[in-house]
Amino acid sequence: MVNWTEMDQQVKAWIMEAGAFIRESFQHSLSIQTKSNPNDLVTNIDEETERFFISNIRKTYPSHFILGEEGQGDELSSLDGIVWIIDPIDGTMNFIHQQRHFAISIGIYEDGVGRLGYIYDVTHDELYYAKRGSGAFMNDVQLPALSEVTLEKSLIAVNATWLVKNAYFDEKRLVSLATTVRGVRSYGSAALELAYVASGRLDSYLTMRLSPWDFAAGKILVEEVGGNVTALSGKELDMMKTTSVFAGAPGLHKRILTDFLLEK
């Protein structure tokens, strides 16, 4: 029998320890490497932070599985069992250039169902977290259920990759959306943007392409405050694949989906 409350306290302690390590790293130079392309960056801090979490998980929960961005976890073909989906630093480019607008992101799933989600804004010391069925919180303050907002008064975030032609849909539809809403933002960290949707700082978030570790925790948070998280097609997210992601309060989610994203 899984003691989710005990696990929740353990994860928070690890996150605080990792956050302190990352903040301390601001005083030192970084070792920066590229991954899939020159702008897909990873630092020694990403790798050391992921190793920290993996080492602790292996010791404390040896039967659990790990899916991590930096490739130090398990080779998985499903989310059977208990799976930790970890991004040690979501927003690495922001971390390197700005030392802000990045986060630790951890989603814990049981047989494909999100149980615990954590997004820690290291620089601002803001921990967003959720336990399935118990709501979502930011630094121990419970987040209210998402309220409805009209499209014209909404503030949305859209990943800048929409500027480039892509295989998902005609980007002209996003131009139309951007000129209808009150404002558009792009923070460069999917985890933080999903946390902002959950907390009401943003009303919706759309992106063309994310990996599971980018959205696993945020999905749990948004759903715990009554929001919807789907692909841009409106279909359920595939937690094992790279996918588009679209999050928002139910009414706004439905209107954007119907009026701007789906083929007429």
Side-chain angles (χ1 to χ4, degrees):
M1 189 73 174
V2 179
N3 187 329
W4 296 107
T5 299
E6 184 179 287
M7 188 184 298
D8 172 60
Q9 295 303 313
Q10 181 65 82
V11 179
K12 288 174 183 173
W14 289 341
I15 287 174
M16 291 299 105
E17 187 175 345
F21 164 73
I22 293 170
R23 283 190 295 271
E24 196 274 335
S25 77
F26 292 167
Q27 312 303 318
H28 308 288
S29 60
L30 296 174
S31 169
I32 303 169
Q33 305 169 42
T34 61
K35 293 189 287 187
S36 62
N37 64 68
N39 292 320
D40 189 6
L41 305 175
V42 61
T43 70
N44 56 310
I45 305 302
D46 294 68
E47 293 173 338
E48 288 177 38
T49 303
E50 183 170 281
R51 279 196 294 270
F52 166 79
F53 283 115
I54 289 176
S55 174
N56 281 293
I57 295 165
R58 297 283 194 224
K59 292 175 186 175
T60 312
Y61 306 104
S63 65
H64 294 188
F65 301 100
I66 302 167
L67 186 61
E69 180 180 14
E70 308 312 333
Q72 301 177 67
D74 300 301
E75 290 289 335
L76 300 177
S77 58
S78 75
L79 290 184
D80 293 345
I82 296 179
V83 181
W84 297 58
I85 306 178
I86 299 173
D87 193 341
I89 296 181
D90 181 75
T92 301
M93 193 175 294
N94 291 346
F95 170 65
I96 293 168
H97 287 271
Q98 303 173 328
Q99 295 186 343
R100 65 194 66 221
H101 303 310
F102 67 91
I104 297 170
S105 179
I106 300 176
I108 303 176
Y109 283 69
E110 181 183 36
D111 296 328
V113 177
R115 295 293 183 181
L116 299 171
Y118 307 85
I119 295 172
Y120 183 47
D121 183 335
V122 175
T123 306
H124 294 100
D125 192 27
E126 292 181 344
L127 177 61
Y128 302 83
Y129 60 93
K131 180 181 177 184
R132 184 174 178 81
S134 300
F137 298 78
M138 194 277 279
N139 287 356
D140 298 326
V141 176
Q142 185 159 10
L143 300 175
L146 295 181
S147 56
E148 293 300 331
V149 60
T150 63
L151 180 67
E152 292 73 18
K153 292 182 178 180
S154 64
L155 180 65
I156 70 172
V158 181
N159 187 287
T161 52
W162 72 273
L163 293 167
V164 182
K165 285 189 177 295
N166 59 81
Y168 292 103
F169 58 88
D170 183 352
E171 67 276 6
K172 291 178 182 177
R173 280 181 271 165
L174 275 182
V175 174
S176 178
L177 172 62
T179 56
T180 303
V181 299
R182 174 171 281 173
V184 180
R185 300 289 183 267
S186 181
Y187 294 95
S189 166
L192 282 181
E193 286 162 309
L194 287 166
Y196 291 168
V197 171
S199 63
R201 290 177 171 175
L202 289 170
D203 299 304
S204 182
Y205 171 58
L206 303 89
T207 183
M208 311 304 120
R209 187 178 177 86
L210 288 183
S211 297
W213 42 80
D214 298 315
F215 62 81
K219 181 177 185 292
I220 298 170
L221 282 161
V222 173
E223 291 178 344
E224 275 300 307
V225 292
N228 290 344
V229 185
T230 68
L232 292 178
S233 63
K235 295 181 180 179
E236 188 174 337
L237 294 179
D238 186 331
M239 298 300 300
M240 295 299 297
K241 294 181 179 179
T242 299
T243 178
S244 61
V245 175
F246 170 35
L252 184 64
H253 184 280
K254 183 177 180 181
R255 182 170 177 196
I256 293 175
L257 187 67
T258 303
D259 292 355
F260 297 94
L261 302 183
L262 297 181
E263 293 283 0
K264 296 294 191 293

